[in-house]
Amino acid sequence: MKMLIAPSILSADFARLGQEIQAVEKAGADWIHVDVMDGHFVPNITLGPITVAAARKVTSLPLDVHLMITDPDQFIPEFAKAGADLISVHAETCVHLHRTVELIRSHGCRPGVVLNPATPLGALDWILDQLDFVLLMSVNPGFGGQSFIDSALEKILVLKQTIVRQGLSTLIQVDGGVNQQTIGKIAAAGTDVFVAGSAIFGSPDYAQTISGFKGAIAGISSPAASN
Ligand code: DX5
Ligand code: ZN
């Protein structure tokens, strides 16, 4: 299984957003991760559909929109229209999670569900087989540049075992504190898609950083995946 790198534009220079997106695309990024925050669900405000539409104009990479907002149903159609390819919603924000996942798919996007560090994997029961991906947060959402929370490793491992046992092809995405030091253990636990903000956009050479990541995870396969 190919492992994918998704730079989070939260740590990009917003005054030069188009060039920043093109620079990470050229540097080997696989998806562009877009962090949407509303100041209610998380203590920060970032960007909205107009930013996604702007990003859509400068890249052909999949736009991976991570909604950290209350009432995501209200905005899913707009993000889809703006050019999102993948849309993930926090289980903590969705009263009717199944309906929300169907809404994402009905707008032609690939649905994902996100769990905060302290939200149990049981929140995925009865919905996992409907998802293209699960995003496990390895920091509390709201800000870039936080440290990886180690308890995420066991969570990744257990989720990977469940996915393999059920014969699903759901991808596991991990977000928060991913860098050259942590990426090896995160890959070994069973991660498919690695979100990284500060470790990429804070580095002097994006291509060197992304190829460093790919080098660190090359050849790693999770114990569960080989069962
Ligand atoms: C946090 C966001 C992340 C953030 C990751 O709420 O969801 O995508 O940009 O930043 P780093 O990679 O710096 O931990
Ligand atoms: Zn994110």
Side-chain angles (χ1 to χ4, degrees):
M1 169 90 72
K2 189 174 180 275
M3 295 184 187
L4 306 174
I5 306 293
S8 161
I9 60 169
L10 185 61
S11 293
D13 176 356
F14 271 69
R16 300 170 46 255
L17 189 58
Q19 287 128 285
E20 290 276 71
I21 291 170
Q22 286 171 334
V24 287
E25 175 166 7
K26 197 164 159 236
D30 298 291
W31 295 357
I32 300 294
H33 185 81
V34 183
D35 286 307
V36 178
M37 305 186 188
D38 67 351
H40 292 276
F41 176 58
V42 290
N44 196 3
I45 299 176
T46 55
L47 44 85
I50 55 172
T51 324
V52 173
R56 182 72 293 157
K57 287 190 199 155
V58 297
T59 183
S60 54
L61 290 180
L63 295 177
D64 162 34
V65 177
H66 174 191
L67 295 181
M68 288 162 273
I69 61 177
T70 55
D71 195 10
D73 293 25
Q74 193 187 340
F75 293 102
I76 284 165
E78 262 191 86
F79 280 104
K81 199 169 152 216
D85 297 286
L86 306 106
I87 296 180
S88 58
V89 291
H90 275 258
E92 301 87 359
T93 63
C94 296
V95 180
H96 304 287
L97 184 57
H98 189 279
R99 175 181 290 154
T100 303
V101 166
E102 284 190 325
L103 180 67
I104 295 170
R105 213 180 274 290
S106 75
H107 281 83
C109 298
R110 297 169 64 188
V113 167
V114 195
L115 303 183
N116 277 337
T119 301
L121 287 173
L124 300 169
D125 288 353
W126 315 110
I127 193 71
L128 185 60
D129 65 352
Q130 305 293 311
L131 305 178
D132 281 37
F133 66 109
V134 173
L135 169 47
L136 295 180
M137 292 306 300
S138 43
V139 297
N140 289 295
F143 303 94
Q146 303 180 79
S147 300
F148 184 83
I149 297 172
D150 267 316
S151 61
L153 292 173
E154 194 185 337
K155 206 171 174 186
I156 299 163
L157 197 65
V158 173
L159 176 59
K160 188 67 166 195
Q161 286 166 348
T162 307
I163 288 169
V164 170
R165 198 174 51 241
Q166 295 187 15
L168 302 173
S169 53
T170 323
L171 299 175
I172 300 180
Q173 183 179 44
V174 172
D175 186 3
V178 175
N179 57 42
Q180 188 67 34
Q181 284 70 47
T182 56
I183 199 165
K185 62 185 178 183
I186 300 169
T191 303
D192 304 291
V193 188
F194 303 80
V195 176
S198 53
I200 293 175
F201 287 104
S203 73
D205 183 334
Y206 302 164
Q208 202 176 56
T209 305
I210 292 175
S211 62
F213 285 179
K214 291 194 173 180
I217 59 185
I220 293 179
S221 65
S222 81
S226 55
N227 284 347

